Amino acid sequence: MQKIFGTKSTPSKKALLLGAGFVVKPTLTQLSEKGVEVTVACRTLESAQKLCKDVKNTKAISLDVENAEALDAEVDKVDVAISLIPYTFHPLVIKSAIRKKKDVVTTSYTSPAMVELEKDIKEAGITVMNEIGLDPGIDHLYAVKTIDEVHKAGGKIKSFLSYCGGLPAPEASTNPLGYKFSWSARGMLLALGNNAKFYREGKVEDVSGHDLMSVAKSYATGYTGFAFVAYPNRDSTPFREKYQIPEASTIIRGTLRYAGFPELIRCIVDIGFLSQDPQDFLKPSSSEPIKWKDATAKILTATSSSEQDLTWAISSKHTFSDTDQKTRILAGLRWLGLFSSDPIIPRSSPLDTLCATLEKKMAYEEGERDLVFLQHKFEIEHQDGKHETRTSTLCEYGDPEGYSAMAKLVGLPCAVAVMQVLAGKMAKGLLAPYTPEVCDPLRKELLEVYGIDMIERTVA
C-alpha cells in the first residue's frame, strides 16, 4: 500500500473531491490518512477551505463543474474524481474524466444519462464506480452476499424486502414527525412525491406519489424496541435482474420512519403544502412577511385565519380515520406553526416556504445522535424444500463528538471504493456493486477496517 500511495520514488496518488455535503468529511479524512493528496472543490472557496481545515494532504479550490474547461484542467491533475455533488451533475464530471482518461467514483444510482456514456467510458479505458454509499451501497454488498450464498447452495430467494431509515435516535425524536434534518428538507419532501413500483406475490404494483403515505404500514424488524413504519421507494422492479433473483415473486425496497410520520405527511400533502407552484403571497419582498396562519388560510382557501376555520378547511380536504388521529395530526400542524402568528420565511412556493420552517424547527440540537437502520428480509426456499426467513441488519448510531451515522455510512464506503480504484483493483467500465467480484472486497474491508457489518439472523 505504501508503494502505491507514495514513497520517495513514487509520487502520491491524487484525487479531486467535488462537493460540500455532510458526507464529504469522512471520505476526505480517510483518503488523507491513506496518503492520498486530495483537492476539495466547491462552488465557493470558503466551503472547500472549511472542509480542508486541519486535514493533511488537502487543498481547497473554487470550481464550477458547468465550466468544462475549468473542470477538465482540475481533472487532468489527478488520478480519480470523486463526485459527491447532486446526481444531475455527475455526467459532466464523467465526460471530463473520459476526455482526460481519469477514473470516477460516486455514491449515486447509475442514471440513464450515465448509461448513455458507457461506450465512451469503455473506450477511454476508465473506471466509473457508482452506488457505493449506504443506500445505495452497503445495502447492495449484503444483498448480493446472501443471494449468492443461497444460490450456490441450490436454494431460491422467494421474497426480498429491503428497508432503510436515516432518523434521529429515539431519544432525539422529539417532534410530531419523528424526523430531523442535517441537510436540506426539500430533498426529503420531494422524495415523498415519487411514484413507487414493486413486485408483490408475482404482480407488479404501482403507487402514485400522492398515495404513497397511505400504503405505509407498521413493519416488524425483529427488534421490538423500534416502532417503525415502512413504505416503498421508487421503482424496485429492476432489482429482480440486478440482484439476479428471477425466482422472487416479491421485491420491495423502501424507507423506514417512526410511527406517526405517514399520517401527518399525508395530511400535509392533501392540504396542498407540498405544491411547488409559486404564490404571490409567499414571494420574498421588502414588506413584512405575512403570518403563518394567514398563509395557511390562503393555501387552504379558508374563510378566515382563525384556528376553527383552518381546522374546518383541513377537514374538508383530508379524511381522518378517527377522532384520536384528527387530534394528533392537528396537534402536529400546530407544533409546526401553521396556525401561529409567527411570520413565514417566504420562499415563493408552499413547499419551499414550509421547508424553511422545517429546517429551523427540526434541526439536530447539540449533543443529539442520529440513527441509521437498514434491514434486508429474505424468504428462502432451500434445496431440500425447507423454508427460512432470514434478516440482515445494520443499526448504527451517530457520534455527537464525531460523524453522524449517515455521514459515516455513506462516506466510508466511498473512501474504500476510491482506494480500491486507485490500487487498480476495480475493473474498467461503468460499475456498480451487483456482483460478488465487486462486492466481496469492499464488504471485507469495511468489516475488517471499520467494523461496518450487517448482522444475519434466522427469524423463522
Side-chain angles (χ1 to χ4, degrees):
M1 188 69 75
Q2 195 175 30
K3 183 178 179 181
I4 295 172
F5 296 104
T7 66
K8 291 181 179 179
S9 59
T10 60
S12 297
K13 293 290 185 177
K14 297 179 180 180
L16 175 67
L17 200 164
L18 300 156
F22 69 101
V23 303
V24 169
K25 198 63 177 278
T27 304
L28 175 64
T29 302
Q30 289 306 306
L31 295 178
S32 166
E33 290 181 358
K34 297 290 186 182
V36 179
E37 295 181 14
V38 186
T39 299
V40 178
C42 304
R43 279 186 179 273
T44 63
L45 181 60
E46 184 182 8
S47 296
Q49 289 172 332
K50 184 177 179 181
L51 285 166
C52 291
K53 186 179 180 182
D54 299 325
V55 183
K56 62 183 180 181
N57 300 322
T58 62
K59 179 176 71 172
I61 64 168
S62 171
L63 180 64
D64 179 359
V65 296
E66 294 183 280
N67 182 333
E69 184 178 350
L71 179 59
D72 281 358
E74 296 303 327
V75 168
D76 194 38
K77 298 174 184 176
V78 300
D79 301 289
V80 61
I82 308 157
S83 189
L84 298 179
I85 52 182
Y87 76 95
T88 51
F89 294 105
H90 293 332
L92 296 178
V93 178
I94 295 170
K95 287 176 183 177
S96 178
I98 289 168
R99 290 190 292 268
K100 297 300 178 181
K101 293 183 166 50
K102 306 291 183 173
D103 298 321
V104 178
V105 175
T106 87
T107 58
S108 302
Y109 283 107
T110 304
S111 67
M114 293 182 192
V115 174
E116 289 179 5
L117 298 172
E118 186 167 13
K119 181 183 176 186
D120 294 335
I121 290 168
K122 288 180 179 178
E123 289 179 353
I126 65 173
T127 298
V128 177
M129 177 64 182
N130 298 307
E131 304 188 33
I132 188 59
L134 167 64
D135 176 8
I138 295 173
D139 58 345
H140 295 335
L141 303 184
Y142 283 86
V144 169
K145 172 185 179 292
T146 299
I147 291 166
D148 185 54
E149 290 172 352
V150 169
H151 282 170
K152 283 180 176 176
K156 298 177 181 179
I157 304 293
K158 305 301 289 183
S159 171
F160 174 74
L161 306 178
S162 179
Y163 291 101
C164 185
L167 298 158
E171 75 276 7
S173 57
T174 52
N175 63 60
L177 283 170
Y179 194 85
K180 291 191 175 179
F181 297 98
S182 55
W183 56 299
S184 167
R186 196 174 202 273
M188 187 277 278
L189 291 179
L190 285 176
L192 297 173
N194 291 327
N195 299 336
K197 186 177 181 181
F198 49 89
Y199 290 108
R200 192 196 302 274
E201 298 180 355
K203 296 180 180 179
V204 174
E205 294 190 18
D206 291 277
V207 179
S208 71
H210 185 272
D211 295 328
L212 190 62
M213 292 298 100
S214 67
V215 301
K217 304 292 184 186
S218 176
Y219 188 71
T221 62
Y223 295 77
T224 54
F226 291 108
F228 290 131
V229 292
Y231 55 88
N233 185 13
R234 303 198 183 192
D235 188 357
S236 298
T237 59
F239 289 89
R240 179 182 271 179
E241 179 181 351
K242 290 182 176 182
Y243 285 157
Q244 300 178 47
I245 46 174
E247 72 273 22
S249 60
T250 296
I251 301 174
I252 305 173
R253 300 174 81 249
T255 300
L256 294 174
R257 293 287 181 258
Y258 288 129
F261 179 93
E263 294 88 350
L264 183 50
I265 288 293
R266 189 179 180 196
C267 180
I268 289 171
V269 170
D270 285 348
I271 64 178
F273 274 80
L274 296 195
S275 169
Q276 299 180 62
D277 297 334
Q279 302 291 338
D280 288 341
F281 60 90
L282 298 177
K283 291 180 179 177
S285 68
S286 57
S287 59
E288 187 77 15
I290 65 172
K291 298 174 182 177
W292 252 119
K293 63 180 182 180
D294 296 325
T296 300
K298 289 178 180 290
I299 292 168
L300 292 170
T301 62
T303 53
S304 82
S305 62
S306 72
E307 185 165 329
Q308 184 180 46
D309 283 345
L310 295 178
T311 299
W312 283 343
I314 290 167
S315 298
S316 72
K317 295 175 181 291
H318 177 77
T319 302
F320 300 99
S321 61
D322 53 43
T323 302
D324 286 344
Q325 187 193 71
K326 180 177 180 179
T327 300
R328 287 196 306 273
I329 289 176
L330 290 176
L333 298 177
R334 192 177 296 112
W335 183 90
L336 291 173
L338 304 191
F339 304 155
S340 75
S341 296
D342 297 336
I344 65 168
I345 304 171
R347 297 281 175 83
S348 295
S349 70
L351 170 71
D352 291 302
T353 302
L354 178 62
C355 283
T357 291
L358 294 184
E359 288 167 9
K360 182 179 179 181
K361 293 182 72 75
M362 295 170 59
Y364 280 93
E365 296 181 16
E366 187 175 351
E368 289 186 334
R369 304 183 298 171
D370 71 325
L371 163 71
V372 166
F373 195 98
L374 167 64
Q375 185 179 81
H376 301 322
K377 186 179 289 185
F378 307 88
E379 298 292 341
I380 301 167
E381 182 183 295
H382 291 288
Q383 189 175 32
D384 60 5
K386 292 182 179 178
H387 289 257
E388 175 192 358
T389 302
R390 186 186 304 174
T391 59
S392 181
T393 308
L394 170 62
C395 182
E396 181 86 21
Y397 288 92
D399 178 0
E401 303 300 321
Y403 299 131
S404 69
M406 184 63 72
K408 172 183 174 180
L409 296 175
V410 176
L412 294 183
C414 178
V416 169
V418 170
M419 296 302 292
Q420 292 192 6
V421 168
L422 288 173
K425 296 179 179 179
M426 291 272 187
K428 302 300 181 183
L430 183 63
L431 306 179
Y434 290 112
T435 65
E437 293 74 23
V438 174
C439 292
D440 289 353
L442 293 165
R443 191 183 63 252
K444 182 180 179 183
E445 186 167 349
L446 285 168
L447 173 59
E448 294 179 354
V449 179
Y450 301 104
I452 295 173
D453 191 14
M454 291 186 71
I455 306 301
E456 292 190 355
R457 294 173 61 211
T458 296
V459 296

